[in-house]
């Protein structure tokens, strides 16, 4: 599976929340860009509940396997063809994005509220998010 497919799946899942328009942002490490997809969906309030279920429905419908059982809470981990996709809804401190988003693409302010999705292919040279 190529990066373009992962990108399309990720954007479709985030868009299905109905909370706005997601966008893909580049990661800081150039060597990781071919094997990483980071998507952000900024919202006024953290999209809870049905957003997680909608994301899960789109991803599983596109062949992703959810790790850890049915969706619950505000986070999920999905795998497909050597890729791992971590999705979470909430509010994160600005520092949480430092390793995930290139400087020119970081949201303004001290926190980011919305949905954050990070996909990495197995063997990607960048460190996985903490």
């Amino acid at each position: 599976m190529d990066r373009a497919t992962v990108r399309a799946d990720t954007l479709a899942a985030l868009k299905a929340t109905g909370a706005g328009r997601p966008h893909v942002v580049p990661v800081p490490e150039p060597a990781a860009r071919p094997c990483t997809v980071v998507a952000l969906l900024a919202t006024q309030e953290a999209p809870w509940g049905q957003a997680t279920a909608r994301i899960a429905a789109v991803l599983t419908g596109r062949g992703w396997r959810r790790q850890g059982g049915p969706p619950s809470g505000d986070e999920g981990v999905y795998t497909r063809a050597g890729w791992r996709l971590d999705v979470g809804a909430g509010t994160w401190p600005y520092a949480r994005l430092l390793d995930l988003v290139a400087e020119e693409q970081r949201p303004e302010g001290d926190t980011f509220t919305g949905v954050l999705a990070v996909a990495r292919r197995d063997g990607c040279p960048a460190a996985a998010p903490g």
Side-chain angles (χ1 to χ4, degrees):
M1 185 166 69
D2 63 9
R3 184 179 182 278
T5 301
V6 174
R7 182 182 193 278
D9 290 353
T10 303
L11 289 175
L14 270 57
K15 188 174 182 180
T17 66
R21 184 179 176 152
H23 64 283
V24 172
V25 295
V27 295
E29 178 59 46
R33 289 182 184 161
C35 59
T36 306
V37 174
V38 176
L40 301 175
L41 172 60
T43 59
Q44 292 290 336
E45 296 180 10
W48 307 103
Q50 287 189 351
T52 304
R54 289 177 183 162
I55 288 169
V58 169
L59 291 174
T60 57
R62 290 176 174 235
W64 291 82
R65 295 187 68 189
R66 179 165 170 77
Q67 304 300 301
S72 63
D74 60 343
E75 297 182 358
V77 176
Y78 302 84
T79 57
R80 181 178 176 206
W83 286 81
R84 174 187 165 124
L85 174 59
D86 292 90
V87 182
T91 298
W92 293 274
Y94 175 82
R96 170 70 173 95
L97 300 180
L98 293 179
D99 293 334
L100 301 175
V101 180
E103 180 69 39
E104 66 276 7
Q105 296 293 323
R106 291 190 189 124
E108 293 183 21
D110 294 332
T111 61
F112 170 76
T113 298
V115 182
L116 170 64
V118 180
R120 286 217 163 85
R121 187 176 63 222
D122 292 345
C124 187

